[in-house]
Amino acid sequence: MRTDDRGGTPPADDGDDGGARRLGDGGARRLGAAELGAGLGERATLVQFSSAFCQPCRATRRTLAEVAEMVEGVAHVEVDAEERLALVRELGIVTTPTVLVLDADGRIVRRAAGQPRKVDVIAALGAAV
C-alpha cells in the first residue's frame, strides 16, 4: 500500500485522487451510542475514526467540529481506532482519518477515507438529514 503525503494509508482499490476519498455510500449498517462511546445527533452524526499520530486527523477534527456547529442537530464523534479495534475491523476501516456520516437512526449513509473538505462533508449530510 502506498502512503499519501498527508500521512494516511488509502485503500488499495481506490484511484489516486490526492489522498482524500469521495464520501461514498456506506451501506445499511447502523451504529449506536454503545458502539461509539457517545450519543448520536438528533438529525445526523459525523463519526471520525482517528489514531494518535495521524496528522490529517487533527485537521479533520476541526472541519467536522465546524460543520457540526453550523448544522443544527448534527453531532461530531471521534473514535480512537486503536481503542475500538473490533469495530474498525468490522467496518473495514484501513486508514485514518475515516469519516462515516450517520442518519438520525445511526445508519451509515456515507463514508470517506482521508481528510475531507468542508464542502464535501456538508454535501454528504444531505443524504442523512
Side-chain angles (χ1 to χ4, degrees), residues 37-85:
L40 300 177
E42 292 176 19
R43 297 176 63 202
T45 305
L46 301 169
V47 180
Q48 175 184 347
F49 285 85
S50 298
S51 54
F53 299 104
C54 169
Q55 286 295 329
C57 292
R58 294 176 187 152
T60 298
R61 179 183 308 118
R62 284 190 301 272
T63 299
L64 298 182
E66 288 174 11
V67 171
E69 286 181 28
M70 288 174 27
V71 182
E72 186 176 335
V74 174
H76 170 225
V77 175
E78 189 168 2
V79 176
D80 184 322
E82 294 176 33
E83 289 181 7
R84 306 275 181 171
L85 198 51

Side-chain angles (χ1 to χ4, degrees), residues 14 21 25 27 31 76 81 83 104 107:
D14 279 344
R21 303 293 168 251
D25 182 5
L31 298 173
H76 170 225
E83 289 181 7
R107 186 175 29 253

Side-chain angles (χ1 to χ4, degrees), residues 1-21 94-95:
M1 284 188 182
R2 70 177 174 80
T3 300
D4 69 24
D5 59 346
R6 296 180 193 162
T9 304
D13 60 346
D14 279 344
D16 185 2
D17 60 1
R21 303 293 168 251
V94 296
T95 186

